Amino acid sequence: MALSGVEIFKLLPKTNCKKCGHPTCLAFAMKLAQRQATLDSCPDVSEEAKKILGEASAPPVRPITFGSGDKAVKMGEETVLFRHDKKFVNPCAFAVEIKDTLPDTEMAAIAERVMQSEIDRVGQKLRIDAIVLSNASGDAGKLEAAAKVIASKAAGVPVIISTKDAGAAEAAAKSFTGKRPIIYGVDSSNAEAMAAVAKANKAIVGIAANGLDELAALTEKVKSLGVEDMVIDSGARKAKEIIEHNTLIRRAAIKKNFKPLGYPIINFMQREDGLHEALVAAIGVAKYASIIVLSSIEKWKNLALFTLRQNIYTDPQVPMQVEQKVYNIGEPKAESPLFITTNFSLTYFIVSGEIENSKVASRLAVMDCEGLSVLTAWAAGKFTASKIAQFITESGVEKEIAQKELIIPGYVAILSGSIEDKLPGWKITVGPREANAIPAFLKTRA
Amino acid sequence: MAFTPTKETYSGKVYSVAIGAGDGPVTFGGENVLPFHSFEGATPNKPVIAFEIQDVPPADWPENVRKPFESVSGDPVTWAKYCQDELKAAAIALRLVGTHPDRENRSPEDAAKTVKDVLAAIKVPLIILGSNHAEKDSPVLVAASGAAKGGNCVIGKAQEANYKTIAAAAMANNHKLIAMSELDINLSKQLNILITQMGFEKERLITDPMCSALGYGLEYTYSVMERIRLAALTQNDTTMQPPMLGDIGMYVWKVKETQAPESDLPHWGSLEERGIAWEAVTAIGLLVAGAEFLIMRHPKAVAEVQKTIEELI
Ligand code: B12
Ligand code: SF4
């Protein structure tokens, strides 16, 4: 919640000079409150007022870029509590913990798994985003050596250095110069020293608090020491506390514009059991975590968590969709089969994936149905015989193919007759219902 | 700056619904806060998970979820007892898929007999589900409701096309009723209103806003559930206050991620764990969105979700 018009008015010069283009300072203040004007229109506003107003109008959750280069992770900038109100902005990052007590070979093996973790799903590239290097040994030299291993084996992957020892943090941070690491472990005992290390290394501070009160006090303290970019951990570890604290933090930031908690949240979710860990992480994905720390990154677990994150962070107003056109799969010849489907991303990627699996070069006509799945589009009157006929005719695909045959999804078999009526000279073939039956279907035709 | 948490006070409350007779009823719902927000209100009951079984052997279930029931799933009574005694099921959901005209096309009388036998064999609450064939479900669920009289069961699912007969049968035999609509908060509200206008008490309803699997529309179910819960709690909309069901197993165990072998898709990892994770993560997503009652299949997925629920309360 930003300042009210009256609160803003109190900070303006109150001369009603009209230079801002408004009849009075109060009128201008009202426009500012509604975000329909910007402060720079008033030439006479004081520096102090600028500072206060600037802070009040900053996004409720501070935007921060963690890491650098093409693997950098954007965090914060969230504006709502519920995804149906407005799209959640920056998908949470998944980070895996590597302890500095592990042998180098094992550290390298985990780093390798992170590097290989990328999966393509519905056209998005998803991966384990970051590594937490933790100073489990308590030894600064060990942490520094481990940092070197990670900097070379997982080059470019954003890193969180986790230690309470400012000296150890300093030594490890040298391996990530210019890479915007997070230095996590800042508490009331070490804040000055850690903040100094973070400043010197242009790092983000990771606050490790014990409860929300202490968390708010610590961010204020670190800010007064000259560090602006922070990620915050309230100390919540149990699922119950994670929901409670994450909700109270997000609420305070969004509804009250409470700056001391307006930072991205980091949650430590490590559990002995890989599946249990995945389930606690799932709660974090839905409920406001910006970084989720895991102890293991099995492929099945990654796939499930990436998919959930994708679901939660899609735009609730506009389904993910692909462009309307006739896509070539492989290098189709004149006699290659022609399929049709809708432009819902999920549908397109499933169907094109299965056609690829069949290793039969094909054409896939993707029709704009406002991003709806086959059955939804059919039920909504967007995937009808006449619209399909019009699309096929206008696409000009006819000129590229030897036989005018169109394969339609099995779920809309009912359309085959009416499409044939509307596309004279064409043969309409009903394909299987589920896309995973396409390879077998193509085999029987060969 | 001292931190004063913003606590919400909600004007509405979810009805608590008690099901089952036998060893005493099992209750879910009853909270006056968003899911697991025990820090600002009352959450008297934990979500309940029912094990799904069916009237015919699960030949259409993928191997990974068929395997754990291999020796018991030939017969619904044995299967139900196994879930109750060995898996400590809180409730059993019997799906009468064999009545579907495209399947075994079993008669309502057959269905009624299966229901009677299963009910007689177990002490935990029974949920009786049709085959999701709107027309056939009417006579099947009418017969099943009669056969289960006195069991305080849950009958499902009443949809726009068939709610009248099914709701009347559930009402006459004192059961609870699942009302299912298609992923739309207004349709869900409208169906609940239509059913209560017949004289069916809204305190005996369970809302199924229609489930979907992780990666296959989960975000739609998630947001419809969140919106229903907010309407119930913040606007005190009594038509949106019945507890919600996530009928998870049947949606999850048909998607590719629960079936494709690792040899085909090495980057997807172990099939067995992947399938279980798919069902369990879907369940957690819906619990966080507001479901109080789940129907699931895999014993390991149920156990892990249960463990996570314990951590949440
Ligand atoms: C999510 C969803 C929605 C979302 C939309 C999601 C979207 N972007 O499309 C929302 C909530 C908006 C919605 C709305 C509606 N929906 Co809807 N929805 C669903 C749901 C749950 C999942 C759909 C989905 O994403 N499927 C996944 C995609 C990948 O499936 P697909 O596109 O069909 O592709 C598969 C196959 O068809 C095949 N395939 C695809 N293309 C091709 C091509 C060829 C050549 C071949 C061989 C195969 C093939 O491969 C794919 C995988 O196997 C289904 C029920 C369900 N669980 O299936 C209902 C469902 C599709 N909806 C339905 C209905 C009725 C509606 C509404 C009319 C109801 C309403 N609430 O008003 C509206 C219409 C929308 C509108 N008016 O704008 C009905 C359709 C009934 C019918 N048989 O016609 C369904 C089946 C629900 C039901 N009754 O059981 N829906
Ligand atoms: S320019 Fe500034 S001082 Fe002049 S009227 Fe506008 S707000 Fe007031």
Side-chain angles (χ1 to χ4, degrees):
Chain A
M1 196 176 59
L3 296 180
S4 71
V6 175
E7 283 166 321
I8 296 172
F9 171 69
K10 288 184 190 149
L11 298 162
L12 293 176
K14 300 194 195 74
T15 56
N16 299 334
C17 75
K18 301 189 173 60
K19 280 186 265 185
C20 58
H22 296 277
T24 60
C25 292
L26 183 62
F28 181 61
M30 292 301 171
K31 290 286 171 198
L32 281 177
Q34 293 159 20
R35 296 186 195 238
Q36 289 171 354
T38 52
L39 192 59
D40 47 13
S41 302
C42 170
D44 301 327
V45 69
S46 71
E47 282 307 311
E48 197 209 337
K50 260 189 207 159
K51 189 164 171 279
I52 299 171
L53 290 170
E55 272 181 19
S57 64
V61 183
R62 187 176 171 80
I64 294 174
T65 302
F66 163 38
S68 67
D70 55 2
K71 292 198 159 102
V73 176
K74 285 173 87 181
M75 306 182 293
E77 290 184 274
E78 300 300 336
T79 57
V80 294
L81 284 155
F82 300 102
R83 66 178 294 282
H84 56 260
D85 286 331
K86 203 160 177 239
K87 184 179 188 288
F88 283 1
V89 184
N90 286 314
C92 58
F94 294 111
V96 63
E97 180 182 21
I98 300 182
K99 294 184 169 139
D100 68 354
T101 44
L102 291 177
D104 284 10
T105 48
E106 244 174 84
M107 287 190 211
I110 303 175
E112 174 74 14
R113 246 175 278 150
V114 173
M115 297 298 276
Q116 306 282 318
S117 65
E118 191 165 283
I119 295 174
D120 206 316
R121 193 173 191 283
V122 196
Q124 293 184 340
K125 292 199 185 317
L126 310 165
R127 59 172 171 261
I128 295 296
D129 307 274
I131 289 173
V132 175
L133 169 58
S134 67
N135 193 195
S137 66
D139 174 338
K142 276 222 147 119
L143 189 70
E144 184 178 5
K148 286 188 177 134
V149 175
I150 287 168
S152 78
K153 300 288 179 194
V157 176
V159 170
I160 300 164
I161 300 164
S162 169
T163 180
K164 299 264 175 197
D165 172 358
E170 172 85 74
K174 285 201 294 271
S175 291
F176 308 106
T177 309
K179 300 273 161 56
R180 293 273 300 154
I182 294 172
I183 296 180
Y184 167 85
V186 177
D187 61 20
S188 49
S189 72
N190 63 13
E192 279 84 2
M194 293 282 268
V197 176
K199 255 170 101 170
N201 291 282
K202 298 199 169 55
I204 298 158
V205 155
I207 307 279
N210 196 352
L212 295 170
D213 259 334
E214 192 188 57
L215 183 59
L218 275 169
T219 60
E220 289 285 87
K221 176 159 183 185
V222 169
K223 194 173 168 199
S224 73
L225 295 167
V227 178
E228 302 265 6
D229 288 342
M230 289 175 249
V231 294
I232 57 177
D233 166 24
S234 68
R237 293 294 179 272
K238 243 188 98 183
K240 173 185 155 82
E241 287 166 347
I242 290 172
I243 284 206
E244 173 179 348
H245 288 189
N246 288 14
T247 303
L248 292 173
I249 289 171
R250 180 81 152 248
R251 235 186 232 168
I254 306 252
K255 297 184 102 174
K256 299 283 174 199
N257 204 15
F258 184 72
K259 290 295 165 193
L261 295 183
Y263 298 96
I265 297 171
I266 180 169
N267 284 139
F268 291 80
M269 305 272 197
Q270 298 100 310
R271 296 290 186 282
E272 290 267 315
D273 175 284
L275 180 55
H276 186 50
E277 178 172 284
L279 299 190
V280 182
I283 295 167
V285 172
K287 289 291 157 192
Y288 317 135
S290 284
I291 302 176
I292 290 175
V293 182
L294 304 166
S295 64
S296 66
I297 46 169
E298 300 88 345
K299 289 176 181 166
W300 55 266
K301 189 205 267 179
N302 296 351
L303 185 68
L305 287 177
F306 295 167
T307 305
L308 180 67
R309 174 176 64 182
Q310 195 175 43
N311 282 172
I312 296 290
Y313 280 86
T314 52
D315 190 326
Q317 265 86 43
V318 195
M320 288 166 73
Q321 37 189 297
V322 294
E323 191 193 333
Q324 156 163 312
K325 68 174 192 189
V326 179
Y327 291 79
N328 287 347
I329 298 176
E331 286 168 20
K333 304 194 187 56
E335 56 281 0
S336 298
L338 169 67
F339 295 88
I340 187 163
T341 191
T342 66
N343 75 328
F344 182 34
S345 289
L346 182 63
T347 303
Y348 166 74
F349 284 102
I350 292 175
V351 174
S352 61
E354 293 299 348
I355 298 177
E356 263 164 45
N357 281 348
S358 72
K359 309 229 159 38
V360 177
S362 303
R363 289 184 181 81
L364 177 59
V366 173
M367 183 169 141
D368 184 358
C369 297
E370 292 166 30
L372 295 180
S373 77
V374 167
L375 275 181
T376 317
W378 177 77
K382 299 188 200 308
F383 197 56
T384 60
S386 47
K387 288 184 181 161
I388 291 171
Q390 189 188 355
F391 165 55
I392 291 294
T393 308
E394 286 172 5
S395 74
V397 67
E398 196 177 318
K399 295 193 287 289
E400 294 169 32
I401 56 177
Q403 276 149 7
K404 290 195 262 176
E405 183 196 14
L406 179 65
I407 304 165
I408 64 170
Y411 280 113
V412 291
I414 192 168
L415 292 178
S416 68
S418 43
I419 304 177
E420 257 169 21
D421 290 346
K422 298 198 163 78
L423 274 180
W426 281 74
K427 178 177 175 219
I428 306 301
T429 300
V430 176
R433 290 177 150 218
E434 297 297 334
N436 60 12
I438 290 178
F441 167 79
L442 284 172
K443 229 179 227 155
T444 59
R445 288 164 52 94
Chain B
M1 212 187 290
F3 175 59
T4 329
T6 321
K7 300 270 169 85
E8 300 279 354
T9 41
Y10 303 92
S11 53
K13 179 176 162 202
V14 177
Y15 297 122
S16 51
V17 170
I19 59 171
D23 269 0
V26 169
T27 309
F28 47 83
E31 69 275 13
N32 63 0
V33 287
L34 287 173
F36 309 107
H37 282 209
S38 46
F39 56 90
E40 55 192 359
T43 53
N45 301 300
K46 287 183 226 174
V48 169
I49 308 177
F51 267 95
E52 178 175 347
I53 67 167
Q54 37 180 68
D55 58 344
V56 290
D60 54 332
W61 291 17
E63 157 151 38
N64 265 325
V65 67
R66 212 173 346 119
K67 230 176 16 193
F69 304 106
E70 202 129 59
S71 56
V72 295
S73 58
D75 160 57
V77 171
T78 323
W79 193 353
K81 281 184 74 84
Y82 173 79
C83 292
Q84 170 185 276
D85 299 337
E86 304 299 322
L87 303 175
K88 309 288 172 233
I92 308 281
L94 167 64
R95 196 182 302 277
L96 300 163
V97 278
T99 61
H100 198 287
D102 299 344
R103 302 265 316 238
E104 288 77 358
N105 199 16
R106 292 187 162 204
S107 68
E109 296 71 39
D110 284 347
K113 179 171 183 329
T114 308
V115 166
K116 254 205 166 93
D117 293 347
V118 170
L119 195 59
I122 58 171
K123 297 191 198 81
V124 295
L126 182 66
I127 296 93
I128 304 165
L129 303 166
S131 65
N132 212 16
H133 184 279
E135 220 171 293
K136 181 75 181 277
D137 276 358
S138 286
V140 166
L141 291 175
V142 167
S145 290
K149 193 176 179 82
N152 189 19
C153 298
V154 180
I155 304 293
K157 299 168 180 179
Q159 309 182 37
E160 194 190 337
N162 61 14
Y163 73 91
K164 282 192 183 139
T165 41
I166 297 173
M171 191 153 58
N173 296 291
N174 252 321
H175 297 301
K176 307 295 190 300
L177 180 69
I178 301 169
M180 183 180 85
S181 49
E182 283 158 6
L183 277 178
D184 180 311
I185 182 168
N186 295 315
L187 293 180
S188 166
K189 185 177 158 80
Q190 184 191 323
L191 184 60
N192 286 357
I193 292 173
L194 288 172
I195 291 174
T196 46
Q197 276 171 352
M198 291 176 55
F200 196 96
E201 292 168 287
K202 52 186 180 304
E203 295 83 354
R204 304 176 65 84
L205 272 179
I206 295 160
T207 296
D208 179 359
M210 177 164 235
C211 190
S212 31
L214 174 63
Y216 295 85
L218 180 69
E219 68 273 35
Y220 293 95
T221 303
Y222 183 93
S223 281
V224 173
M225 282 189 167
E226 269 198 339
R227 291 178 60 201
I228 290 178
R229 258 311 143 264
L230 285 166
L233 297 171
T234 62
Q235 292 152 32
N236 197 15
D237 181 344
T238 57
T239 62
M240 302 268 72
Q241 288 174 346
M244 288 189 287
L245 167 69
D247 189 0
I248 289 169
M250 64 179 271
Y251 287 92
V252 164
W253 292 100
K254 68 174 190 199
V255 307
K256 183 164 183 169
E257 281 79 353
T258 60
Q259 307 188 25
E262 188 173 4
S263 52
D264 285 359
L265 291 153
H267 55 293
W268 279 10
S270 152
L271 171 59
E272 178 154 13
E273 273 140 320
R274 192 193 326 132
I276 295 167
W278 221 257
E279 184 171 34
V281 169
T282 304
I284 291 294
L286 297 187
L287 287 175
V288 170
E292 286 90 357
F293 183 36
L294 304 177
I295 298 176
M296 296 177 65
R297 289 184 180 172
H298 201 291
K300 182 100 198 287
V302 173
E304 289 290 341
V305 172
Q306 211 100 51
K307 191 161 130 193
T308 308
I309 291 174
E310 294 303 324
E311 219 194 291
L312 277 163
I313 53 167

